[in-house]
Amino acid sequence: MARFYVTTPIYYVNDAPHIGHAYTTVTADGLARWHRLLGDEVLFVTGTDEHGLKMKRAAQANGLSPKEQADVYSARYEEAWALLDISNDDYIRTTEPRHHKAVRALMQAVYDNGWIYPGTYSGLYCVDCEGYYTETDLIDGLCPVHRRPVEFMTEENYFFRLSAFADRLVEWYSDQPGAVTPESRRNEALGIIKGGLQDISVTRSTLDWGVPVPWDEDHVFYVWYDALINYATVAGYGTDDGRFKKWWPAVHHLIGKDILRFHCVYWPALCMAAGIEPPRRVSVHGYLLVRGEKMSKTAFNQIAPADLVADFGVDGYRYHFLRDQSFGPDGEFSYEGMAARYNADLANNLGNLLARVSAVVAQKCGGIGPAPRPESPLAPLASDVYDAAAAAWEKVAPSDALEAAWRLVRAANAALEEAEPWRAPPGPEVDAVLGDALEVLRIVAVLASPALTRASAEIWRRIGLTQPIAEARLPDAGRWGGYPGGLAVERGGPLFPRHRD
Ligand code: MSP
């Protein structure tokens, strides 16, 4: 059985989740669900990043201890994921003992291998990034990401000999051409490596909110080095060697472009230094923009997933972000665009197909759904659509996968309009066209199920299929001819009530 281990970044608990965070998590969830349909053994993980200075300050500002702050906000992420039907198999919090064990074990291995040495560090620090910058990185004297003032910091700490890994990283990139996608991001990472790597500080002596350094307990690890290791923790590093062998290194990370340097340069180097293989795949996406800007607390442009779910439902929410926001480039969020997509694809195309078919089956076939034609004119298209959807998910292009499925929905609606079974007398011709349409509904429900977690199951139920859709297995369930016919088809209310634009 194939295995599929997919991760999201772990989110900072200084603030509540917004649709930018949810974008990565919903995409990872879609991928996990697709791989479960393929019959793969899946490990899909998300979680929260709970240490560091930013967190400590957020807690102080809220009058909470760092742990209380982490508990409150980590729970808000969990609530958001439950609301969005996120099917993660594990939820990692960096304050958990299993994670402390993994960080200490992995960093001890790096230390024992001779890649860590003590020193003093001074530099310009952005607390929001939890990272140092040089003068030249700054834009108008401000952090290039957050456009906020940086602080001069100096401290005693331990350094990771990153500079020693430049050649090995370049080699890794040429041996694994598909490891970082899209290509432009791969080139960006290679550019950073070839531009010269400096050793980096991996501990903090001025902070107590973190994982204590095993060889010098007065220090804690720098939050990013603790955070990256979460991916190994979940796979069993430091606690379960058998499990680690099973899941590592075939891990697939999904990340936003702002954390490329950490995932595509520092993390592979750290893995090499610890004596484990770097991650197999990192897919990098752009930002979701609101009125041209990245969402942020300071810009007051954050949108909570719950607000959109209230208007569009869970399926409408998931469909929009998977279908309309291509994974890769930046994308502009627009409420109007979301409403238009919902009405066009869900209310009109898919919703109408189900409504029409069930109405005509009730009128002309006594409510019993006929079987599709093996030689249906829609069969070759269904086969193309399945292949296109499978290829698209493989490339982390959910938008293309759903676009393909909707080609089949549109073709089935067009075939109905042409045949007009509602005007024709009951008989084999009407049965044939309705059987084909029912088969399209069955296939589309499966292909869309990574996005439409609820409607896909409802379509199956209404067309009389009793097997839970989650038990469907691809490729068979995606091929023409699976609808048996002879099943009671239910006439229900609109699957996707129209949204008032
Ligand atoms: N805690 C670190 C990640 C550690 S992973 C070992 C972190 N957290 S974060 O909460 O600030 O961001 C998490 C992810 O959310 C990042 O991939 C980031 O790109 C993504 N997004 C935050 N805002 C976003 C948008 N507006 N649009 C798309 N993704 C965005 O970084």
Side-chain angles (χ1 to χ4, degrees), residues 8-14 18-24 48-49 54 77 128 146 223-224 226-231 254-259 263 285-290 293-296:
T8 73
I10 49 172
Y11 302 98
Y12 285 131
V13 282
N14 63 318
H18 59 59
I19 59 173
H21 305 122
Y23 173 59
T24 325
T48 43
D49 186 354
K54 180 184 359 214
Y77 275 91
D128 284 306
H146 294 94
V223 62
W224 264 103
D226 147 4
L228 288 164
I229 296 169
N230 92 83
Y231 305 126
L254 303 191
I255 63 161
K257 65 181 182 182
D258 51 335
I259 53 177
H263 284 81
H285 65 74
Y287 292 151
L288 200 61
L289 307 174
V290 174
E293 276 193 70
K294 190 187 179 204
M295 261 170 292
S296 71

Side-chain angles (χ1 to χ4, degrees), residues 4-11 21-32 35-36 42-48 81 86 88-92 227-236 243 247-256 259 263 267 279-285 327 396:
F4 184 69
Y5 175 19
V6 63
T7 67
T8 73
I10 49 172
Y11 302 98
H21 305 122
Y23 173 59
T24 325
T25 307
V26 168
T27 304
D29 186 65
L31 271 173
H35 279 268
R36 289 193 196 106
V42 171
L43 176 59
F44 161 36
V45 188
T46 186
T48 43
W81 304 151
I86 301 302
N88 51 301
D89 303 293
D90 198 346
Y91 188 79
I92 173 87
L228 288 164
I229 296 169
N230 92 83
Y231 305 126
T233 304
V234 170
R243 181 176 161 84
W247 291 106
W248 201 267
V251 57
H252 187 161
H253 300 316
L254 303 191
I255 63 161
I259 53 177
H263 284 81
W267 177 225
R280 209 42 74 73
R281 222 175 140 185
V282 184
S283 298
V284 187
H285 65 74
F327 195 89
V396 194

Side-chain angles (χ1 to χ4, degrees), residues 36 83 118 135 155 187 201 211 217 224 241 253 258 272 315 341 349 369 387 398 407 422 429 438 463 483:
R36 289 193 196 106
L83 174 74
E135 282 295 346
E155 59 179 326
N187 293 337
S201 94
V211 180
E217 301 272 346
W224 264 103
D241 292 347
H253 300 316
D258 51 335
M272 291 170 185
D315 286 330
R341 172 67 68 187
N349 268 310
D387 294 343
R407 276 195 269 145
W422 43 88
E429 276 176 34
L438 284 160
I463 66 174
Y483 186 70

